[in-house]
């Protein structure tokens, strides 16, 4: 009796795989002595689910500009599983705090909603600080799913007004799309090691410019 | 530090877990409702919200101690039932003499009740004994026996005593476990004392930085940092939240417990934004950054070594859950459940910890709540999707 192979793809596509559970990949060695102790199966599954959940949580906080900038920085660091990424995000949060006088993302969004996007309003130092902060987040993002959270966070820094009407909604959506595209491009084309150093430099520059904007500009 | 092996504690009966949980919940409830006036035998006692919170910390620390026999049991009972009452009274600005009577008793019972080594016991007796004696002297030398910093000398003495008690309490989990509640006493006394001595923040910051760099016990660094922040104008709420995080981290006996200091650190940022002298703020900010990096390096999740290896999935993501040792308490550690609940509460809704004062972080609650809700929703959805996939695969012929 001929039996159709299970879910081999109706049109010859890839076999369907679950979202996060562990399945052997095609072409991988079936058995063999592992070179290093591998985590337990449930830990792999739980780690994957946890990561997707963290990315979603960070993206939700960034997209809705709710909560605190340092909380978002901590979430981004967890998403990247990288202390350097957390440090860069924390510096960007510090830059926002210096510019707006508060670390509340709601306050940042409210100010952008009333005054205009951070990219277009303010003295040159402050504008440059926002741009540098957004670029720092884009460059420090790891590849893959985390691009979603980092891109939305970058967008919230430069063009994340409180949504109070069609215009602000359009700015918000446009900013999010640009932020996601920029972050995806940065993770794809920039060498990772160099990108991390660039991001650190941009984040420090952002803090310095925000401070200059507060006291000079 | 995160690789420190955790010794398997003895299983604790549910009755003890329930006792500790009920006491902690009662004090936490009192703190959440803003304190209360209690009348007993014609005497009216006023328990403030901050006093109830301090009592919650002491009870949580004692309840999370896995000593359940002999003198150790007596020390734990004193820590769960007696010490919180005395601490709450002292913290509420009432009579502090019961506290200086009970403290030596707790120290003595704890040291007799058990310690890792003889040297650890001797060290604990020395540090905790001097701290207790200094605190008692500072309280008794004043015009009224209360724990209120009136002068610089008084405040400095209290802060020194507090630092010693913090060291004795935070080190208790590895030396003499029954001394953990001293951390709550030390943190409270330090916050009260530091408010009267603005200049004491610098040595405390240096101490916190040294402890943080040494990477011995992050909770000690956070507690010292909290006392230093209390010396800033308007720093009391942030200091209280930071101290609460240190207490919960020690009660959890997990290094990653100090992540509960995040709300306190954010509240500290708000304090640093107040107009005022620049130098102490820069110093505090720099120390906070240093401690943050140290803590993050120790407690952060690590990326998986091989994302594209044998095990694949559509959303191959790079977190190795095994890098967080003991993230979930084992069955034998169920006595830590009340502390876990408190830590989660602090991390998600610190704005509701009104006993700490107006920390200016109510906006934090919105974002944290949203993040938790979204994460939980995604976890449930993923688990459901994978479960359905598994069922479908089972039904298909091989």
């Amino acid at each position: 009796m001929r039996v159709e192979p299970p879910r081999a793809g109706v049109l010859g596509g890839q076999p369907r795989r679950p979202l996060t559970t562990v399945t052997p990949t095609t072409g991988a060695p079936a058995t063999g002595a592992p070179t290093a102790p591998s985590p337990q199966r449930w830990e792999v599954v739980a780690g994957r689910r946890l990561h997707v959940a963290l990315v979603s949580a960070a993206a939700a906080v960034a997209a809705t500009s709710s909560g605190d900038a340092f909380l978002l920085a901590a979430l981004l660091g967890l998403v990247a599983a990288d202390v350097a990424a957390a440090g860069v995000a924390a510096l960007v949060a510090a830059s926002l705090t210096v510019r707006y006088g508060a670390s509340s993302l709601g306050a940042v969004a409210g100010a952008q909603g009333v005054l205009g996007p951070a990219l277009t309003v303010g003295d040159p130092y402050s504008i440059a600080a926002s741009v540098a902060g957004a670029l720092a987040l884009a460059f420090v993002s790891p590849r893959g799913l985390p691009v979603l959270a980092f891109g939305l966070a970058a967008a919230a820094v430069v063009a994340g007004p409180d949504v109070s009407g069609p215009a602000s909604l359009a700015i918000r959506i446009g900013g999010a799309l640009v932020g996601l595209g920029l972050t995806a491009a940065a993770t794809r084309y920039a060498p990772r090691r160099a990108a991390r150093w660039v991001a650190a430099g941009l984040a420090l520059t952002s803090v310095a410019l925000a401070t200059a904007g507060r006291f000079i500009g | 530090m995160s690789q420190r092996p955790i010794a398997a504690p003895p299983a604790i009966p549910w009755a003890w877990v329930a006792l500790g949980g009920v006491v902690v919940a009662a004090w936490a409830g009192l703190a959440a409702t803003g304190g209360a006036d209690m009348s007993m035998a014609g005497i009216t006692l006023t328990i403030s919200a901050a006093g109830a919170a301090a009592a919650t910390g002491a009870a949580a620390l004692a309840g999370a101690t896995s000593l359940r026999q002999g003198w150790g049991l007596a020390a734990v009972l004193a820590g769960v039932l007696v010490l919180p009452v005395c601490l709450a009274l002292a913290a509420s600005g009432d009579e502090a003499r019961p506290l200086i009577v009970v403290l030596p008793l707790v120290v003595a019972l704890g040291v007799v009740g058990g310690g890792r080594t003889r040297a650890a016991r001797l060290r604990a007796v020395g540090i905790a004994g001097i701290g207790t004696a200094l605190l008692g002297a500072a309280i008794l030398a004043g015009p009224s026996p209360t724990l209120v910093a009136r002068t610089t000398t008084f405040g400095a003495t209290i802060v020194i005593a507090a630092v010693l008690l913090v060291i004795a309490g935070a080190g208790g989990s590895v030396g003499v476990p029954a001394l953990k509640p001293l951390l709550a006493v030390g943190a409270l006394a330090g916050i009260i004392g530091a408010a009267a001595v603005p200049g004491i923040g610098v040595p405390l910051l240096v101490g916190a930085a040294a402890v943080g760099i040494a990477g011995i016990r992050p909770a000690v660094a956070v507690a010292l940092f909290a006392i230093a922040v209390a010396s800033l104008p308007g720093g009391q709420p942030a200091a209280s939240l930071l101290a609460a995080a240190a207490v919960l981290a020690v009660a959890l006996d997990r290094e990653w417990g100090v992540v509960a200091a995040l709300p306190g650190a954010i509240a500290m940022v708000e304090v640093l934004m107040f107009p005022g002298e620049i130098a102490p703020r820069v110093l505090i900010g720099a120390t906070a950054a240093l401690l943050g990096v140290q803590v993050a390096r120790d407690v952060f999740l690590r990326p998986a070594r091989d994302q594209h290896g044998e095990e694949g999935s559509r959303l191959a993501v790079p977190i190795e859950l095994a890098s967080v040792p003991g993230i979930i308490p084992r069955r034998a550690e169920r006595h830590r459940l009340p502390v876990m609940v408190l830590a989660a509460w602090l991390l998600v809704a610190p704005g509701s910890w009104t006993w700490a004062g107006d920390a200016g972080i109510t906006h934090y609650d919105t974002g944290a709540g949203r993040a938790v809700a979204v994460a939980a929703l995604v976890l449930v959805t993923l688990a459901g999707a994978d479960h359905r996939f598994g069922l479908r695969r089972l039904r298909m012929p091989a």
Side-chain angles (χ1 to χ4, degrees):
Chain A
M1 188 175 75
R2 297 176 65 185
V3 177
E4 184 184 355
R7 309 301 299 177
V10 179
L11 299 176
Q14 291 295 312
R16 180 170 293 184
R17 276 188 277 155
L19 285 170
T20 55
T21 50
V22 180
T23 55
T25 52
T26 53
T31 56
T35 55
S38 62
Q40 297 292 315
R41 194 180 185 86
W42 75 267
E43 286 173 339
V44 175
V45 174
R48 286 174 178 168
R49 288 180 184 165
L50 178 65
H51 191 254
V52 178
L54 282 172
V55 171
S56 309
V61 169
T64 58
S65 283
S66 57
D68 193 274
F70 289 97
L71 171 67
L72 179 59
L75 285 172
L76 291 176
L78 285 175
V79 162
D82 185 2
V83 178
V88 167
L91 283 173
V92 176
S95 168
L96 281 178
T97 307
V98 171
R99 178 171 180 184
Y100 292 99
S103 59
S104 164
L105 286 174
V108 172
Q112 291 191 55
V114 173
L115 303 171
L119 186 64
T120 58
V121 172
D123 58 90
Y125 294 113
S126 300
I127 292 173
S130 294
V131 173
L135 286 175
L137 289 175
F139 274 103
V140 83
S141 170
R143 288 178 184 168
L145 201 59
V147 166
L148 183 65
F150 279 85
L152 288 174
V157 171
V158 284
D162 210 356
V163 178
S164 54
S168 56
L169 179 64
I171 292 171
R172 185 101 205 184
I173 292 174
L177 290 175
V178 172
L180 288 170
L182 191 66
T183 308
T187 56
R188 183 170 178 82
Y189 297 112
R192 294 313 305 148
R193 193 176 175 82
R196 284 158 62 93
W197 283 106
V198 169
L202 284 168
L204 284 169
T205 307
S206 174
V207 175
L209 286 170
T211 308
R214 188 170 179 85
F215 293 106
I216 301 171
Chain B
M1 199 163 24
S2 58
Q3 299 302 311
R4 183 168 64 88
I6 299 162
I12 292 176
W14 275 111
W16 286 113
V17 179
L19 173 67
V22 166
V23 172
V24 169
W27 282 114
L30 199 56
T33 54
D37 291 335
M38 297 179 184
S39 293
M40 262 193 308
I43 303 171
T44 302
L45 301 173
T46 301
I47 305 289
S48 69
T56 308
L61 285 164
T65 308
S66 53
L67 293 172
R68 291 296 184 268
Q69 53 186 343
W71 292 109
L73 171 63
V76 169
L77 279 176
V80 169
L81 299 175
V82 183
L83 182 63
V85 177
C86 301
L87 189 58
L89 285 175
S92 303
D94 287 337
E95 186 67 59
R97 275 177 296 199
L99 178 65
I100 58 177
V101 171
V102 169
L103 269 184
L105 180 70
V106 171
V107 173
L109 287 174
V111 172
V112 175
R116 180 165 285 187
T117 59
R118 178 183 287 269
R121 290 189 193 189
L122 286 174
R123 206 165 45 237
V125 167
I127 297 173
I130 295 172
T132 304
L134 278 176
L135 187 64
I139 290 172
L140 290 177
S144 64
T146 56
L147 189 61
V148 179
R150 286 171 288 268
T151 63
T152 306
T153 310
F154 186 83
T157 309
I158 287 185
V159 170
I160 293 169
V163 170
L164 291 173
L165 291 176
V166 162
I167 292 170
S173 56
V174 290
V176 179
L179 295 189
K180 281 187 202 172
L182 297 186
L183 174 61
V185 181
L188 173 77
I191 289 173
I192 291 174
V197 196
I200 205 147
V202 176
L204 286 171
L205 288 174
V206 172
V211 173
I213 291 169
I216 305 164
R217 301 283 289 171
V220 176
V222 172
L224 294 179
F225 188 72
I227 300 174
V229 170
S231 66
L232 280 179
Q236 300 268 333
S240 300
L241 291 178
L242 286 167
V247 166
L248 293 174
V250 170
L252 276 173
D253 201 17
R254 296 282 191 279
E255 308 293 20
W256 57 261
V258 291
V259 299
L262 180 64
I266 290 171
M268 180 207 67
V269 172
E270 304 288 331
V271 173
L272 296 183
M273 293 302 293
F274 288 164
E277 287 184 61
I278 294 292
R281 290 154 204 279
V282 171
L283 190 61
I284 285 183
T287 312
L290 176 68
L291 288 182
V293 170
Q294 286 292 328
V295 168
R297 285 178 60 182
D298 288 333
V299 305
F300 241 54
L301 299 168
R302 280 204 307 270
R305 284 181 293 273
D306 182 14
Q307 315 172 28
H308 307 292
E310 183 179 352
E311 313 288 1
S313 85
R314 266 201 291 161
L315 295 174
V317 288
I319 281 189
E320 188 173 316
L321 199 68
S323 66
V324 183
I327 193 166
I328 301 163
R330 287 166 285 191
R331 282 179 65 83
E333 292 185 281
R334 53 199 174 197
H335 59 295
R336 298 194 203 282
L337 286 176
V339 182
M340 289 204 76
V341 171
L342 285 178
W345 182 9
L346 174 58
L347 207 48
V348 175
S352 63
W353 288 41
T354 49
W355 61 266
D358 183 13
I361 53 168
T362 46
H363 61 272
Y364 174 99
D365 294 21
T366 312
R370 197 163 289 179
V372 168
V374 169
L377 192 65
V378 169
L379 281 175
V380 169
T381 306
L382 287 176
D386 289 342
H387 181 65
R388 281 196 302 277
F389 176 83
L391 288 178
R392 197 164 54 230
R393 201 166 56 168
L394 280 176
R395 288 196 202 103
M396 289 179 180

